Amino acid sequence: VSGGEAWAIIGPNGAGKSTLLRLMAGLAEPRSGEIRWMDRPLSQTSPRDRAATIALLPQRTPTDLDLRVADVVLMGRFPHRSFGLFESAEDHRISERAMVTTRVTRFANRVLDTLSGGEAQRVHLAAALAQEPRLLLLDEPTASLDLEHQLAIFSILRERTRNDGLAVVIVTHDVNLAARYCDRVLLLNDGRVVACGPPGEVVTPRILEPVYGVRLAQL
């Protein structure tokens, strides 16, 4: 995965998508082989250094936090704080820019649990962007969101890859969004790679139908 690229990991339930993402985040150890990050084994990277360069937006994010949106986003700056306790003016500037990027600035003084699911998800995305990672991992970031919020999330991610050179890996069940917004698609089934390449080569009835077991039409 290179900077400026957005990858989608697709496949049926139980294919190993979330497991692969956890391996990439350093939250699980591979049984064989290794995950390499920035030309070295990820296992040799300290948790703090890992958090400073890799951000993970998990499948389930808390929506009932009794915290202001601005404070939730500031939490993303934790790995970069000198002593881990106090935010600098630079931390606030970066957090504010992340809120602008994700269009949540107007919620800055709202408590997180007063927002809708889609709005709260954009807040958590802002916190991940405030980490200023080189790699952003997202596990089904648009699950249970309406179409407007789904498109908003994917549009924001594409902007960050194009404008900031961010590397993005998204686990998603929406093959249409994967094909529309991502540069590369990795199709998994039973923990194995079925296909990998540009969307036009992977997101096709010939490739997907045997994996998903349904008839598909390519428009």
Side-chain angles (χ1 to χ4, degrees):
V1 180
S2 302
E5 284 185 342
W7 280 67
I9 302 176
I10 64 173
N13 290 334
K17 302 184 298 298
S18 295
T19 299
L20 177 56
L21 210 67
R22 285 176 56 81
L23 288 165
M24 296 175 70
L27 299 180
E29 289 288 333
R31 295 176 182 172
S32 62
E34 66 179 6
I35 305 293
R36 296 190 64 84
W37 171 238
M38 297 172 63
D39 296 325
R40 60 185 295 193
L42 184 62
S43 59
Q44 296 179 9
T45 305
S46 71
R48 189 179 185 90
D49 289 343
R50 194 167 65 233
T53 56
I54 301 175
L56 171 67
L57 190 63
Q59 189 173 7
R60 295 176 180 84
T61 53
T63 58
D64 58 350
L65 295 178
D66 189 22
L67 293 171
R68 292 189 317 134
V69 164
D71 295 327
V72 173
V73 178
L74 265 174
M75 291 169 67
R77 296 300 303 159
F78 185 84
H80 302 282
R81 297 179 199 167
S82 299
F83 298 99
L85 296 175
F86 305 103
E87 303 93 357
S88 66
E90 179 75 353
D91 290 328
H92 283 275
R93 184 188 67 79
I94 292 170
S95 295
E96 289 168 4
R97 185 178 66 183
M99 287 192 291
V100 170
T101 297
T102 54
R103 291 94 159 160
V104 297
T105 304
R106 67 183 186 277
F107 306 133
N109 292 313
R110 292 262 302 273
V111 175
L112 185 70
D113 66 5
T114 66
L115 303 183
S116 71
E119 292 164 348
Q121 187 72 324
R122 295 213 315 272
V123 172
H124 286 293
L125 176 57
L129 292 175
Q131 278 182 246
E132 291 195 312
R134 296 183 62 174
L135 172 64
L136 176 57
L137 308 172
L138 307 101
D139 195 354
E140 298 189 38
T142 58
S144 303
L145 300 185
D146 61 31
L147 183 58
E148 179 184 2
H149 285 99
Q150 290 178 29
L151 294 175
I153 294 289
F154 271 84
S155 295
I156 291 166
L157 294 173
R158 185 165 65 178
E159 287 175 10
R160 293 310 93 204
T161 57
R162 300 291 189 269
N163 298 338
D164 297 340
L166 180 66
V168 172
V169 178
I170 312 164
V171 167
T172 180
H173 280 292
D174 195 317
V175 296
N176 294 307
L177 289 176
R180 178 176 177 181
Y181 286 100
C182 295
D183 304 294
R184 308 274 290 181
V185 177
L186 175 67
L187 173 62
L188 296 180
N189 192 28
D190 290 331
R192 298 181 181 278
V193 175
V194 176
C196 179
E201 296 178 6
V202 177
V203 185
T204 68
R206 181 181 64 84
I207 298 293
L208 298 183
E209 284 180 358
V211 174
Y212 286 97
V214 296
R215 294 294 303 275
L216 299 169
Q218 189 169 16
L219 303 178

